[in-house]
Each structure stands twice: as structure tokens, then as C-alpha cells.
Amino acid sequence: MRECHLSLLVCPECQATLALSQIESGDGDRVRSGTLTCVSCQAAFPIIDHIPRFVSSDNYARNFGLEWTRHARTQYDSHSGATVSEGRFFKETGWPRDLAGEHILEVGSGSGRFTEQAAKTGAMVVSFDFSFAVEANYASNGHKANVLIVQADLLKMPLRRGFFDKLYCFGVLQHTPDVRRSFLSLPPMLKPCGDLCVDVYSKKVWWVELLVKGRWIRPLTRHLPPHVLYALVNRYVRLMWPLATQINKLPLGMHINLALLVADYRGHFDLSEEMLKEWAILDTFDLLSAYYDQPQTVQTLQQWFEEAGLDDIRVHLGFNGIEGHGKAPQADR
Ligand SMILES: C[S@@+](CC[C@H](N)C(=O)[O-])C[C@H]1O[C@@H](n2cnc3c(N)ncnc32)[C@H](O)[C@@H]1O
């Protein structure tokens, strides 16, 4: 982190100011390691490899730590040459391309492919994740002057409430233990009239969930050590690839491949064969490894937006399941 970003952080326990001490090594104004101490309750949090850590990496999201460090660049547009992440970020949020002067909060960054997009707007981007995926994000985006990357839990954010102009949270909520509670933790971070944009997987009919979403095998796979499951998925997808190539040519071939546990995006994304295989390994592992996977309905997400008291609510099916948009109420309400 940079010393000048300290004012963006607060104590996750009591919301008081944090003081930076014991800087063990510095690099310009970038702090490689040190300690953040709460001036009020004295809680202390380490900075390790440039990243303030408010949680340990040994938690239910450790599969994502492995996923996003093994595939640190796979879904980056700047790696694939495609515009998949850029297209999704701007289409889904509906935000302008120039947001200089604003503060954006990204909740659950994974490898940081959307951090890259948010940073391009010129806004100050604060991005965090529960897992050690933050290390992949730091490697790609941490050098940028307008990016602060933190490891934290969305239920205990070390960030100022009522402060952010915009907040997005893509593909995260269904992977938390209590999806409603996770959702409701987001709106308080926005300043009056601030924009919220989330997406969450949509619940399909039971047999689709069972066959195409791997529900029949997840009770086993989600308990496997991530590195063991990853090795199995890697070998399996590579072995199945020639067969999946033929199946993909059939009507509903993509869905048949998913039922066979190969996340095959041929015909969906315009990527090279090698990249499609990389995406298949990444997304098959994602499907089978997430400890929690709790898709929702449009009605439920709509209810949560209303419960949070947001204005201009729009909830609909979209790119990654269900998309929801809303605005924090004006200050005088
Ligand atoms: C499917 S990934 C999505 C990553 C990224 N948003 C993307 O779309 O590429 C879900 C991410 O949510 C993170 N996550 C899960 N629970 C979280 C929590 N309580 N607080 C913050 N992040 C969390 C995981 O670590 C994981 O990186």
C-alpha cells in the first residue's frame, strides 16, 4: 500500500483511525511490510507483501486464493486480447469511462480483472477480497497510483462507511455463507446518491442445477483440498478436450459439456483454442471448488434492494445471472 492511502482505511472493529507503524521496509511511498494499529481499540493488522491484511487466508475462500493465483491473468483483457471484462464492466455498471475524482469500492476482486477496468476510469479504486487472490490482483494492479488492494471480509470492512461514490460486487454474494447478510453489508458503504451494482448467480430449475451446475458432485469436491481438486480438474479437462470439441458442435453442446464437467466457452467468447482451454480449467474448478454456492431469484434480490432502502432499483437477468442496480438515498431523507 501507499502511505497516502492510509486515510481510506479504518479499524474494522471500531471504525476508528489506523496508524501506520513498524514499517519494516519501504519502496518510495509504498509500504512493503508494517503494522496498522487502531488509535482507539489498539487492534493491530499486518501489512504483508504490500497488502494490508485484516483476515487470515485460512478461510472458506481458500479455493479462490488458489484459483486466482494459478489463473492470475487468464481473464484479463490485457492478457487475452479480447474485451470480455471491459465489455461486461461498462455494460453491467452503466458507468461512464471517465470517473476521475470519484471513489469506487470493489468487493470480492478475485484476480482483479475488473480492478483493471475500474482503474482505467481514473477513479480511486479500493479493492478487496477475502482470499489470497489479492496477491494476484496486487501483481497486476498494485503498482497503480489510484489502486489500493486490501485483504478483508465484506462483513467487516476496514473502510469508511458512507464514503464511496460507487460500489460493485460481481460473482461474490452466492459464495458467502449468508447471502442476504452479505448483500446488506454493501449499501452502508455508499455516500448519498452513490451507485450500487451487484450480480449474483440465478437459481435454475432443480435438474439444471443438478446436471449442469455440478450439484451432484459438489458435496464431494468442495471438501477436497484445493490443490488436489485443481490437479484433478486440470488433467480431466485436458483429457476431455478432444471429445468436448466434437460435442460442442452438437445442438446444446455447450450445456452437454457442462454436464460432463467441462466449462466450454467455444462459440461464446472469441478466444484462441489455448485460452479457451485455460478458461475451461479455471471455470470447471470454480464450479466444483466453491465452498458456498447459493444462487438466488430475481424476486429475492429485488426484496433485498428494497429492504436496504435503495432508490432507482433495477433488478433483472443479465450477463452473469441476476444483475441489480440501486442508488443510496439522498442525505436529507
Ligand atoms: C467467483 S470469484 C469472483 C471474482 C471477481 N469479482 C470476478 O468476477 O472475476 C468470488 C470472489 O469472492 C470472494 N469472496 C468470498 N467471500 C468473500 C467475503 N466474505 N469478503 C470478500 N470477498 C469474498 C472470493 O475470495 C472470490 O475471489
Side-chain angles (χ1 to χ4, degrees):
M1 69 170 285
R2 290 168 196 271
E3 287 197 51
C4 61
H5 291 160
L6 182 60
S7 61
L8 295 165
L9 298 172
V10 295
C11 174
E13 304 296 337
C14 69
Q15 291 277 304
T17 305
L18 293 171
L20 182 57
S21 62
Q22 298 172 9
I23 301 176
E24 283 154 20
S25 56
D27 158 20
D29 72 336
R30 287 162 82 180
V31 180
R32 185 186 296 277
S33 64
T35 303
L36 292 163
T37 308
C38 175
V39 298
S40 174
C41 73
Q42 304 300 312
F45 308 95
I47 299 169
I48 303 170
D49 293 337
H50 294 110
I51 303 170
R53 314 278 180 152
F54 295 90
V55 289
S56 118
S57 295
D58 189 18
N59 57 42
Y60 69 76
R62 68 181 75 79
N63 64 299
F64 286 114
L66 183 132
E67 174 175 321
W68 295 123
T69 46
R70 294 274 169 102
H71 289 274
R73 301 283 301 163
T74 301
Q75 294 187 330
Y76 272 72
D77 287 353
S78 51
H79 171 73
S80 68
T83 52
V84 176
S85 302
E86 180 183 4
R88 180 168 154 201
F89 180 80
F90 288 104
K91 188 158 179 277
E92 203 169 323
T93 59
W95 296 339
R97 287 178 182 259
D98 183 356
L99 291 170
E102 298 208 0
H103 286 89
I104 300 181
L105 176 57
E106 176 181 40
V107 175
S109 64
S111 65
R113 63 171 165 148
F114 296 116
T115 319
E116 177 177 62
Q117 301 304 326
K120 280 196 308 199
T121 66
M124 176 67 215
V125 181
V126 180
S127 174
F128 75 89
D129 198 281
F130 198 30
S131 74
F132 60 93
V134 286
E135 285 158 27
N137 195 357
Y138 191 88
S140 289
N141 295 302
H143 61 284
K144 297 171 185 166
N146 64 330
V147 173
L148 167 63
I149 294 166
V150 173
Q151 189 173 2
D153 180 1
L154 58 75
L155 292 181
K156 239 184 191 186
M157 296 188 219
L159 299 163
R160 291 163 62 184
R161 289 169 194 211
F163 176 74
F164 291 90
D165 298 279
K166 295 186 165 46
L167 186 161
Y168 67 98
C169 179
F170 290 171
V172 177
L173 296 170
Q174 68 274 347
H175 294 310
T176 64
D178 182 339
V179 186
R180 173 180 163 274
R181 190 167 165 227
S182 297
F183 173 80
L184 291 174
S185 73
L186 307 178
M189 307 310 293
L190 290 169
K191 60 163 62 159
C193 300
D195 261 333
L196 177 68
C197 178
V198 306
D199 67 35
V200 61
Y201 292 172
S202 72
K203 196 185 266 176
K204 307 278 190 289
V205 291
W206 68 268
W207 60 270
V208 172
E209 287 287 336
L210 192 70
L211 288 179
V212 183
K213 303 281 303 276
R215 299 255 172 235
W216 60 276
I217 197 169
R218 275 185 37 78
L220 170 72
T221 55
R222 74 186 191 124
H223 291 293
L224 289 176
H227 69 281
V228 172
L229 179 62
Y230 186 85
L232 290 172
V233 167
N234 190 20
R235 289 183 71 174
Y236 176 76
V237 170
R238 288 181 190 284
L239 190 75
M240 287 290 287
W241 199 249
L243 178 61
T245 306
Q246 298 311 315
I247 292 175
N248 186 274
K249 294 174 184 157
L250 302 173
L252 295 178
M254 188 179 160
H255 299 282
I256 299 170
N257 277 334
L258 250 189
L260 292 171
L261 304 176
V262 180
D264 175 11
Y265 293 115
R266 269 171 290 211
H268 197 68
F269 293 136
D270 188 18
L271 297 169
S272 71
E273 190 71 6
E274 209 32 57
M275 282 186 183
L276 284 162
K277 209 186 288 180
E278 235 187 283
W279 280 54
I281 293 164
L282 161 60
D283 262 16
T284 305
F285 178 75
D286 188 286
L287 183 78
L288 301 179
S289 65
Y291 194 79
Y292 298 104
D293 189 349
Q294 312 187 78
Q296 304 297 319
T297 63
V298 168
Q299 290 78 2
T300 307
L301 192 61
Q302 172 83 29
Q303 264 172 25
W304 293 343
F305 268 83
E306 288 167 12
E307 186 179 346
L310 295 166
D311 291 334
D312 298 346
I313 300 172
R314 281 175 296 125
V315 177
H316 52 84
L317 291 177
F319 186 91
N320 197 34
I322 307 166
E323 292 173 15
H325 304 260
K327 267 191 187 309
Q330 287 177 10
D332 53 4
R333 265 189 29 198

